Amino acid sequence: FMLNDTQMKPTVFLLTGIPGQEAANLWISILFFTMYVISMMGNSVILFIIKTDLSLHEPMYVFLSMLALTDLCLSIATMPTILGIFWFGSREISINACLVQLFFIHSLSFIESSVLLSMAFDRYVAICNPLRYASLLTTPRIVRMGLVFTIRGMALIFPLPFLLKRFQYCRDNVLSHSYCLHQEVMKLACSDITVNSIYGLFVIISTVGLDSLLILLSYMMILRTVLSIASREERFKALNTCVSHVCAVLLFYTPMIGLSVIHRSGGSSSLLLQVLMGYVYMLVPPLMNPIVYSMKTKQIRARITRVLSR
């Protein structure tokens, strides 16, 4: 009986690197480590510059600092297991550690989605209703928005580790990523996963689905307003303030939706494609967001140049 119980509930899951690329683990680890260092430094620099420069204490930059902080936390949540596999071949992760990691990964992803929505709202008000910008986006209101986003992201994910914990795991305990995701762990259960599947879909629709729809709606209204501006230079100037945010939205939602579709399509998709899409989803947005905003936002670029030239 004890043996059967042990088989039903494995104490560990096994994480996976990149299938078929084990010989290149050293070079892959160097690439991933470099990406993490650039991500951590880039987002830390954004946070430092916004905090220390009083001229950047405006709604747009407060939202950007929220994005940088979320990306920083997301990098910290995935770094130990990803680098552990490629540096030390450490594939084992306990069920409890796995559940904690997936809680933070999913919570932070949904918080980032909310921050991108708030940045779209910021651009909408700035372009479509500039006279009310200062009165609508006050500092206390922005802080409250940040708290609501954080609570929403964490509250929606909070039940998932407990729902997963109650399952019996009698199947192969190998996960196909270097970190834990709800969809992955759920599939290893030999219990009825209907509740998890329905709740997971509800969470995705009520966060990422709703946020992306509202972002799209914001940009449709922004475009309508911009096209009504007579001057070509003014139109270009207005749209130029949205370029960084559009890049951040595409960097975040494209791999996230792609990964979700691949997971739900089951075995019909290539495992290698699924794994690579997972790395793009986890590593690329935190890496690229500070680079895009540094290049496209004149005030931040000027501040970085001043700091580096000292």
Side-chain angles (χ1 to χ4, degrees):
F1 176 79
M2 287 297 289
L3 180 64
N4 286 342
D5 191 54
T6 306
Q7 288 172 346
M8 290 294 281
K9 279 199 172 265
T11 53
V12 295
F13 290 119
L14 292 178
L15 301 168
T16 304
I18 300 179
Q21 303 298 317
E22 288 77 13
N25 270 9
L26 176 62
W27 299 109
I28 294 168
S29 72
I30 292 169
L31 172 66
F32 285 172
F33 179 69
T34 305
M35 290 173 79
Y36 272 122
V37 169
I38 295 169
S39 299
M40 304 281 277
M41 285 178 62
N43 287 298
S44 298
V45 166
I46 294 281
L47 284 168
F48 173 76
I49 284 171
I50 292 171
K51 186 180 185 300
T52 54
D53 192 334
L54 294 176
S55 68
L56 297 180
H57 290 189
E58 296 174 11
M60 176 183 168
Y61 301 109
V62 176
F63 288 130
L64 177 55
S65 66
M66 289 180 186
L67 184 68
L69 183 60
T70 309
D71 281 339
L72 203 57
C73 293
L74 202 53
S75 294
I76 292 166
T78 57
M79 183 165 43
T81 52
I82 291 179
L83 292 182
I85 286 172
F86 290 102
W87 277 353
F88 310 112
S90 175
R91 292 182 61 198
E92 291 189 356
I93 184 169
S94 70
I95 289 179
N96 290 336
C98 186
L99 296 180
V100 168
Q101 186 183 46
L102 75 82
F103 169 77
F104 281 108
I105 286 174
H106 289 299
S107 296
L108 289 163
S109 294
F110 295 146
I111 291 167
E112 180 150 344
S113 178
S114 301
V115 172
L116 290 170
L117 172 60
S118 66
M119 294 172 93
F121 178 66
D122 170 82
R123 291 298 84 213
Y124 164 72
V125 176
I127 292 169
C128 301
N129 210 340
L131 297 178
R132 296 192 62 198
Y133 185 78
S135 62
L136 280 174
L137 291 167
T138 60
T139 303
R141 190 168 286 165
I142 292 168
V143 171
R144 282 199 297 273
M145 286 168 72
L147 284 172
V148 167
F149 298 154
T150 305
I151 291 166
R152 182 185 80 154
M154 291 191 163
L156 285 170
I157 295 301
F158 190 73
L160 289 181
F162 298 100
L163 289 170
L164 290 169
K165 185 78 172 172
R166 69 192 173 91
F167 286 152
Q168 299 289 341
Y169 294 96
C170 58
R171 293 186 185 145
D172 188 11
N173 62 339
V174 179
L175 300 167
S176 61
H177 293 292
S178 306
Y179 46 83
C180 294
L181 293 176
H182 171 250
Q183 308 95 303
E184 283 271 294
V185 177
M186 178 179 72
K187 285 178 184 175
L188 299 183
C190 55
S191 315
D192 182 13
I193 60 170
T194 307
V195 172
N196 276 61
S197 194
I198 292 169
Y199 183 71
L201 190 61
F202 161 74
V203 170
I204 287 284
I205 291 169
S206 62
T207 53
V208 176
L210 183 62
D211 293 349
S212 56
L213 193 66
L214 291 172
I215 289 170
L216 184 63
L217 187 64
S218 299
Y219 273 101
M220 285 169 66
M221 294 166 83
I222 286 169
L223 272 174
R224 192 178 69 177
T225 303
V226 168
L227 292 173
S228 67
I229 299 170
S231 165
R232 187 179 172 183
E233 288 76 19
E234 288 297 316
R235 285 203 299 267
F236 178 76
K237 189 178 176 183
L239 286 174
N240 199 41
T241 63
C242 301
V243 171
S244 302
H245 179 251
V246 170
C247 290
V249 166
L250 292 174
L251 283 167
F252 177 76
Y253 284 107
T254 306
M256 186 188 218
I257 292 167
L259 188 62
S260 184
V261 168
I262 288 170
H263 273 298
R264 294 194 178 275
S265 66
S268 61
S269 301
S270 159
L271 178 61
L272 183 61
L273 176 65
Q274 183 175 314
V275 170
L276 292 176
M277 186 66 80
Y279 286 121
V280 170
Y281 167 50
M282 284 297 157
L283 300 177
V284 172
L287 171 75
M288 292 305 298
N289 284 340
I291 294 171
V292 168
Y293 273 95
S294 300
M295 288 172 64
K296 292 301 297 178
T297 310
K298 188 168 66 176
Q299 292 88 334
I300 290 177
R301 192 169 66 243
R303 186 78 175 84
I304 290 172
T305 306
R306 281 208 304 274
V307 169
L308 292 175
S309 62
R310 281 178 185 172

